[in-house]
mmCIF file of all heavy atoms in Angstrom:
data_model
loop_
_atom_site.group_PDB
_atom_site.id
_atom_site.type_symbol
_atom_site.label_atom_id
_atom_site.label_comp_id
_atom_site.label_asym_id
_atom_site.label_seq_id
_atom_site.Cartn_x
_atom_site.Cartn_y
_atom_site.Cartn_z
ATOM 1 N N TYR J 13 34.117 2.182 47.827
ATOM 2 C CA TYR J 13 32.827 2.825 47.609
ATOM 3 C C TYR J 13 33.006 4.337 47.662
ATOM 4 O O TYR J 13 33.237 4.899 48.727
ATOM 5 C CB TYR J 13 31.817 2.383 48.681
ATOM 6 C CG TYR J 13 31.540 0.906 48.651
ATOM 7 C CD1 TYR J 13 32.252 0.020 49.455
ATOM 8 C CD2 TYR J 13 30.585 0.386 47.792
ATOM 9 C CE1 TYR J 13 32.003 -1.345 49.414
ATOM 10 C CE2 TYR J 13 30.326 -0.974 47.744
ATOM 11 C CZ TYR J 13 31.049 -1.832 48.554
ATOM 12 O OH TYR J 13 30.808 -3.177 48.509
ATOM 13 N N GLY J 14 32.919 4.962 46.511
ATOM 14 C CA GLY J 14 33.052 6.411 46.452
ATOM 15 C C GLY J 14 31.763 7.097 46.872
ATOM 16 O O GLY J 14 30.674 6.534 46.756
ATOM 17 N N HIS J 15 31.885 8.291 47.383
ATOM 18 C CA HIS J 15 30.728 9.093 47.781
ATOM 19 C C HIS J 15 30.672 10.344 46.933
ATOM 20 O O HIS J 15 31.700 10.822 46.444
ATOM 21 C CB HIS J 15 30.829 9.493 49.253
ATOM 22 C CG HIS J 15 30.644 8.344 50.194
ATOM 23 N ND1 HIS J 15 30.775 8.482 51.542
ATOM 24 C CD2 HIS J 15 30.320 7.053 49.992
ATOM 25 C CE1 HIS J 15 30.553 7.320 52.134
ATOM 26 N NE2 HIS J 15 30.281 6.437 51.201
ATOM 27 N N ASN J 16 29.479 10.887 46.772
ATOM 28 C CA ASN J 16 29.307 12.159 46.088
ATOM 29 C C ASN J 16 29.780 13.288 46.999
ATOM 30 O O ASN J 16 29.749 13.168 48.223
ATOM 31 C CB ASN J 16 27.833 12.372 45.722
ATOM 32 C CG ASN J 16 27.374 11.425 44.634
ATOM 33 O OD1 ASN J 16 28.009 11.290 43.600
ATOM 34 N ND2 ASN J 16 26.270 10.749 44.865
ATOM 35 N N ASP J 17 30.185 14.385 46.402
ATOM 36 C CA ASP J 17 30.636 15.555 47.146
ATOM 37 C C ASP J 17 29.489 16.139 47.967
ATOM 38 O O ASP J 17 28.435 16.472 47.412
ATOM 39 C CB ASP J 17 31.175 16.607 46.159
ATOM 40 C CG ASP J 17 31.685 17.835 46.855
ATOM 41 O OD1 ASP J 17 32.855 17.838 47.272
ATOM 42 O OD2 ASP J 17 30.901 18.797 46.994
ATOM 43 N N GLU J 18 29.685 16.247 49.284
ATOM 44 C CA GLU J 18 28.614 16.709 50.176
ATOM 45 C C GLU J 18 28.143 18.127 49.865
ATOM 46 O O GLU J 18 26.959 18.422 49.958
ATOM 47 C CB GLU J 18 29.066 16.596 51.627
ATOM 48 C CG GLU J 18 29.197 15.160 52.087
ATOM 49 C CD GLU J 18 29.594 15.029 53.538
ATOM 50 O OE1 GLU J 18 29.342 15.967 54.321
ATOM 51 O OE2 GLU J 18 30.150 13.973 53.890
ATOM 52 N N GLN J 20 28.166 19.655 46.883
ATOM 53 C CA GLN J 20 27.363 19.618 45.656
ATOM 54 C C GLN J 20 25.990 19.002 45.933
ATOM 55 O O GLN J 20 24.980 19.478 45.408
ATOM 56 C CB GLN J 20 28.076 18.817 44.574
ATOM 57 C CG GLN J 20 29.250 19.540 43.959
ATOM 58 C CD GLN J 20 29.892 18.708 42.880
ATOM 59 O OE1 GLN J 20 30.290 17.572 43.105
ATOM 60 N NE2 GLN J 20 29.977 19.271 41.688
ATOM 61 N N ILE J 21 25.966 17.975 46.752
ATOM 62 C CA ILE J 21 24.689 17.338 47.084
ATOM 63 C C ILE J 21 23.819 18.306 47.881
ATOM 64 O O ILE J 21 22.607 18.394 47.660
ATOM 65 C CB ILE J 21 24.906 16.027 47.859
ATOM 66 C CG1 ILE J 21 25.570 14.993 46.957
ATOM 67 C CG2 ILE J 21 23.600 15.500 48.431
ATOM 68 C CD1 ILE J 21 24.794 14.619 45.710
ATOM 69 N N PHE J 24 22.273 20.598 45.456
ATOM 70 C CA PHE J 24 21.274 19.858 44.691
ATOM 71 C C PHE J 24 19.980 19.721 45.495
ATOM 72 O O PHE J 24 18.888 19.998 44.987
ATOM 73 C CB PHE J 24 21.831 18.477 44.329
ATOM 74 C CG PHE J 24 20.860 17.584 43.609
ATOM 75 C CD1 PHE J 24 20.779 17.596 42.235
ATOM 76 C CD2 PHE J 24 20.033 16.711 44.314
ATOM 77 C CE1 PHE J 24 19.896 16.768 41.561
ATOM 78 C CE2 PHE J 24 19.143 15.882 43.662
ATOM 79 C CZ PHE J 24 19.073 15.913 42.279
ATOM 80 N N LEU J 25 20.103 19.297 46.754
ATOM 81 C CA LEU J 25 18.916 19.110 47.598
ATOM 82 C C LEU J 25 18.186 20.428 47.831
ATOM 83 O O LEU J 25 16.956 20.479 47.800
ATOM 84 C CB LEU J 25 19.312 18.481 48.938
ATOM 85 C CG LEU J 25 19.921 17.073 48.869
ATOM 86 C CD1 LEU J 25 20.304 16.598 50.261
ATOM 87 C CD2 LEU J 25 18.991 16.095 48.188
ATOM 88 N N LEU J 30 14.444 19.561 48.744
ATOM 89 C CA LEU J 30 14.428 18.324 49.527
ATOM 90 C C LEU J 30 15.033 18.577 50.904
ATOM 91 O O LEU J 30 16.017 19.288 51.030
ATOM 92 C CB LEU J 30 15.207 17.225 48.808
ATOM 93 C CG LEU J 30 14.660 16.823 47.436
ATOM 94 C CD1 LEU J 30 15.616 15.886 46.720
ATOM 95 C CD2 LEU J 30 13.293 16.181 47.584
ATOM 96 N N VAL J 36 13.966 8.386 54.916
ATOM 97 C CA VAL J 36 13.289 7.659 53.846
ATOM 98 C C VAL J 36 13.556 6.169 54.020
ATOM 99 O O VAL J 36 14.579 5.766 54.558
ATOM 100 C CB VAL J 36 13.742 8.123 52.444
ATOM 101 C CG1 VAL J 36 13.318 9.545 52.169
ATOM 102 C CG2 VAL J 36 15.244 7.989 52.282
ATOM 103 N N PHE J 38 13.584 2.330 52.004
ATOM 104 C CA PHE J 38 13.624 1.672 50.708
ATOM 105 C C PHE J 38 14.122 0.249 50.888
ATOM 106 O O PHE J 38 14.809 -0.073 51.850
ATOM 107 C CB PHE J 38 14.517 2.432 49.716
ATOM 108 C CG PHE J 38 15.941 2.612 50.175
ATOM 109 C CD1 PHE J 38 16.913 1.706 49.803
ATOM 110 C CD2 PHE J 38 16.299 3.683 50.974
ATOM 111 C CE1 PHE J 38 18.220 1.865 50.224
ATOM 112 C CE2 PHE J 38 17.601 3.850 51.397
ATOM 113 C CZ PHE J 38 18.566 2.933 51.022
ATOM 114 N N LYS J 39 13.752 -0.608 49.948
ATOM 115 C CA LYS J 39 14.169 -2.006 50.009
ATOM 116 C C LYS J 39 15.502 -2.168 49.273
ATOM 117 O O LYS J 39 15.627 -1.755 48.121
ATOM 118 C CB LYS J 39 13.125 -2.922 49.401
ATOM 119 C CG LYS J 39 13.426 -4.402 49.606
ATOM 120 C CD LYS J 39 12.346 -5.279 49.042
ATOM 121 C CE LYS J 39 11.276 -5.427 50.093
ATOM 122 N NZ LYS J 39 10.270 -6.449 49.738
ATOM 123 N N LYS J 41 17.849 -4.061 47.117
ATOM 124 C CA LYS J 41 17.623 -5.116 46.127
ATOM 125 C C LYS J 41 18.548 -6.310 46.334
ATOM 126 O O LYS J 41 18.214 -7.423 45.966
ATOM 127 C CB LYS J 41 17.797 -4.565 44.715
ATOM 128 C CG LYS J 41 16.709 -3.614 44.296
ATOM 129 C CD LYS J 41 16.917 -3.132 42.883
ATOM 130 C CE LYS J 41 15.834 -2.153 42.485
ATOM 131 N NZ LYS J 41 16.022 -1.668 41.112
ATOM 132 N N GLU J 47 15.649 -0.652 54.420
ATOM 133 C CA GLU J 47 16.659 0.237 54.985
ATOM 134 C C GLU J 47 16.058 1.604 55.220
ATOM 135 O O GLU J 47 15.170 2.030 54.492
ATOM 136 C CB GLU J 47 17.863 0.368 54.051
ATOM 137 C CG GLU J 47 18.636 -0.911 53.870
ATOM 138 C CD GLU J 47 19.931 -0.696 53.086
ATOM 139 O OE1 GLU J 47 20.381 0.449 52.942
ATOM 140 O OE2 GLU J 47 20.481 -1.701 52.616
ATOM 141 N N ARG J 49 17.358 5.636 55.850
ATOM 142 C CA ARG J 49 18.467 6.597 55.824
ATOM 143 C C ARG J 49 17.891 7.983 55.653
ATOM 144 O O ARG J 49 16.744 8.155 55.266
ATOM 145 C CB ARG J 49 19.420 6.299 54.671
ATOM 146 C CG ARG J 49 20.069 4.949 54.776
ATOM 147 C CD ARG J 49 21.149 4.810 53.773
ATOM 148 N NE ARG J 49 21.666 3.450 53.814
ATOM 149 C CZ ARG J 49 22.665 3.030 53.113
ATOM 150 N NH1 ARG J 49 23.280 3.846 52.277
ATOM 151 N NH2 ARG J 49 23.083 1.793 53.201
ATOM 152 N N THR J 50 18.727 8.984 55.883
ATOM 153 C CA THR J 50 18.286 10.347 55.605
ATOM 154 C C THR J 50 18.391 10.575 54.097
ATOM 155 O O THR J 50 19.128 9.871 53.394
ATOM 156 C CB THR J 50 19.151 11.396 56.326
ATOM 157 O OG1 THR J 50 20.490 11.341 55.808
ATOM 158 C CG2 THR J 50 19.149 11.190 57.836
ATOM 159 N N VAL J 51 17.665 11.560 53.613
ATOM 160 C CA VAL J 51 17.736 11.926 52.199
ATOM 161 C C VAL J 51 19.190 12.244 51.838
ATOM 162 O O VAL J 51 19.696 11.801 50.797
ATOM 163 C CB VAL J 51 16.812 13.126 51.899
ATOM 164 C CG1 VAL J 51 17.069 13.686 50.512
ATOM 165 C CG2 VAL J 51 15.344 12.721 52.052
ATOM 166 N N GLU J 52 19.869 12.974 52.718
ATOM 167 C CA GLU J 52 21.271 13.333 52.460
ATOM 168 C C GLU J 52 22.145 12.085 52.331
ATOM 169 O O GLU J 52 22.973 11.987 51.416
ATOM 170 C CB GLU J 52 21.796 14.229 53.577
ATOM 171 C CG GLU J 52 23.224 14.687 53.358
ATOM 172 C CD GLU J 52 23.688 15.615 54.460
ATOM 173 O OE1 GLU J 52 23.414 15.335 55.649
ATOM 174 O OE2 GLU J 52 24.322 16.620 54.123
ATOM 175 N N GLN J 53 21.976 11.106 53.207
ATOM 176 C CA GLN J 53 22.762 9.877 53.125
ATOM 177 C C GLN J 53 22.525 9.153 51.806
ATOM 178 O O GLN J 53 23.471 8.659 51.187
ATOM 179 C CB GLN J 53 22.415 8.931 54.278
ATOM 180 C CG GLN J 53 22.989 9.339 55.605
ATOM 181 C CD GLN J 53 22.519 8.428 56.718
ATOM 182 O OE1 GLN J 53 21.335 8.099 56.809
ATOM 183 N NE2 GLN J 53 23.445 8.003 57.565
ATOM 184 N N VAL J 54 21.275 9.091 51.373
ATOM 185 C CA VAL J 54 20.962 8.411 50.122
ATOM 186 C C VAL J 54 21.679 9.092 48.958
ATOM 187 O O VAL J 54 22.306 8.426 48.128
ATOM 188 C CB VAL J 54 19.441 8.365 49.870
ATOM 189 C CG1 VAL J 54 19.125 7.848 48.472
ATOM 190 C CG2 VAL J 54 18.755 7.508 50.927
ATOM 191 N N PHE J 55 21.626 10.419 48.896
ATOM 192 C CA PHE J 55 22.231 11.135 47.782
ATOM 193 C C PHE J 55 23.757 11.185 47.859
ATOM 194 O O PHE J 55 24.427 11.237 46.835
ATOM 195 C CB PHE J 55 21.653 12.551 47.655
ATOM 196 C CG PHE J 55 20.337 12.584 46.939
ATOM 197 C CD1 PHE J 55 19.151 12.390 47.635
ATOM 198 C CD2 PHE J 55 20.268 12.788 45.575
ATOM 199 C CE1 PHE J 55 17.928 12.402 46.990
ATOM 200 C CE2 PHE J 55 19.051 12.810 44.903
ATOM 201 C CZ PHE J 55 17.875 12.611 45.618
ATOM 202 N N VAL J 56 24.320 11.161 49.057
ATOM 203 C CA VAL J 56 25.779 11.186 49.199
ATOM 204 C C VAL J 56 26.367 9.786 49.054
ATOM 205 O O VAL J 56 27.357 9.585 48.352
ATOM 206 C CB VAL J 56 26.210 11.808 50.554
ATOM 207 C CG1 VAL J 56 27.697 11.613 50.796
ATOM 208 C CG2 VAL J 56 25.876 13.292 50.588
ATOM 209 N N GLN J 57 25.754 8.791 49.686
ATOM 210 C CA GLN J 57 26.368 7.475 49.801
ATOM 211 C C GLN J 57 25.831 6.414 48.853
ATOM 212 O O GLN J 57 26.533 5.457 48.547
ATOM 213 C CB GLN J 57 26.197 6.952 51.235
ATOM 214 C CG GLN J 57 26.828 7.838 52.264
ATOM 215 C CD GLN J 57 26.482 7.409 53.686
ATOM 216 O OE1 GLN J 57 25.740 6.450 53.899
ATOM 217 N NE2 GLN J 57 27.016 8.128 54.646
ATOM 218 N N VAL J 58 24.585 6.546 48.399
ATOM 219 C CA VAL J 58 23.965 5.461 47.629
ATOM 220 C C VAL J 58 23.870 5.781 46.141
ATOM 221 O O VAL J 58 24.290 4.989 45.305
ATOM 222 C CB VAL J 58 22.562 5.123 48.194
ATOM 223 C CG1 VAL J 58 21.904 4.024 47.379
ATOM 224 C CG2 VAL J 58 22.656 4.737 49.662
ATOM 225 N N LEU J 59 23.288 6.920 45.810
ATOM 226 C CA LEU J 59 23.052 7.269 44.409
ATOM 227 C C LEU J 59 24.285 7.901 43.772
ATOM 228 O O LEU J 59 25.008 8.650 44.418
ATOM 229 C CB LEU J 59 21.880 8.252 44.303
ATOM 230 C CG LEU J 59 20.541 7.744 44.820
ATOM 231 C CD1 LEU J 59 19.496 8.851 44.735
ATOM 232 C CD2 LEU J 59 20.091 6.519 44.064
ATOM 233 N N ASP J 60 24.492 7.612 42.509
ATOM 234 C CA ASP J 60 25.583 8.236 41.757
ATOM 235 C C ASP J 60 24.971 9.233 40.788
ATOM 236 O O ASP J 60 24.832 8.968 39.602
ATOM 237 C CB ASP J 60 26.383 7.177 41.007
ATOM 238 C CG ASP J 60 27.556 7.769 40.247
ATOM 239 O OD1 ASP J 60 27.896 8.944 40.480
ATOM 240 O OD2 ASP J 60 28.133 7.057 39.411
ATOM 241 N N ILE J 61 24.538 10.375 41.330
ATOM 242 C CA ILE J 61 23.867 11.362 40.476
ATOM 243 C C ILE J 61 24.837 12.345 39.844
ATOM 244 O O ILE J 61 24.466 13.075 38.933
ATOM 245 C CB ILE J 61 22.779 12.145 41.245
ATOM 246 C CG1 ILE J 61 23.389 12.951 42.373
ATOM 247 C CG2 ILE J 61 21.699 11.206 41.757
ATOM 248 C CD1 ILE J 61 22.461 13.983 42.927
ATOM 249 N N LEU J 62 26.080 12.390 40.314
ATOM 250 C CA LEU J 62 27.042 13.347 39.782
ATOM 251 C C LEU J 62 27.993 12.708 38.776
ATOM 252 O O LEU J 62 28.766 13.389 38.133
ATOM 253 C CB LEU J 62 27.844 13.983 40.925
ATOM 254 C CG LEU J 62 27.007 14.700 41.987
ATOM 255 C CD1 LEU J 62 27.894 15.214 43.109
ATOM 256 C CD2 LEU J 62 26.212 15.840 41.381
ATOM 257 N N GLY J 63 27.916 11.383 38.637
ATOM 258 C CA GLY J 63 28.790 10.683 37.705
ATOM 259 C C GLY J 63 28.187 10.595 36.325
ATOM 260 O O GLY J 63 27.086 11.069 36.058
ATOM 261 N N ARG J 64 28.922 9.962 35.439
ATOM 262 C CA ARG J 64 28.459 9.765 34.070
ATOM 263 C C ARG J 64 27.564 8.535 34.031
ATOM 264 O O ARG J 64 27.949 7.479 34.539
ATOM 265 C CB ARG J 64 29.657 9.572 33.152
ATOM 266 C CG ARG J 64 29.305 9.476 31.699
ATOM 267 C CD ARG J 64 30.553 9.350 30.880
ATOM 268 N NE ARG J 64 31.222 8.099 31.219
ATOM 269 C CZ ARG J 64 31.788 7.298 30.327
ATOM 270 N NH1 ARG J 64 31.801 7.631 29.069
ATOM 271 N NH2 ARG J 64 32.363 6.185 30.704
ATOM 272 N N PRO J 65 26.377 8.638 33.437
ATOM 273 C CA PRO J 65 25.483 7.478 33.351
ATOM 274 C C PRO J 65 26.141 6.320 32.591
ATOM 275 O O PRO J 65 26.899 6.534 31.647
ATOM 276 C CB PRO J 65 24.270 8.003 32.588
ATOM 277 C CG PRO J 65 24.292 9.474 32.811
ATOM 278 C CD PRO J 65 25.751 9.838 32.884
ATOM 279 N N PHE J 69 22.296 2.251 31.617
ATOM 280 C CA PHE J 69 21.277 3.264 31.866
ATOM 281 C C PHE J 69 20.698 3.762 30.544
ATOM 282 O O PHE J 69 19.485 3.852 30.382
ATOM 283 C CB PHE J 69 21.876 4.432 32.657
ATOM 284 C CG PHE J 69 20.964 5.621 32.755
ATOM 285 C CD1 PHE J 69 19.937 5.656 33.688
ATOM 286 C CD2 PHE J 69 21.123 6.714 31.908
ATOM 287 C CE1 PHE J 69 19.089 6.746 33.780
ATOM 288 C CE2 PHE J 69 20.280 7.811 31.993
ATOM 289 C CZ PHE J 69 19.262 7.819 32.928
#
Side-chain angles (χ1 to χ4, degrees):
Y13 298 93
H15 290 176
N16 290 310
D17 181 85
E18 291 182 24
Q20 286 181 305
I21 293 300
F24 176 90
L25 297 178
L30 299 171
V36 294
F38 58 94
K39 188 178 274 190
K41 290 181 181 180
E47 295 188 16
R49 298 190 186 184
T50 65
V51 169
E52 182 178 43
Q53 285 175 315
V54 171
F55 279 87
V56 170
Q57 300 172 359
V58 179
L59 299 176
D60 182 13
I61 63 165
L62 302 176
R64 185 177 64 139
F69 170 81

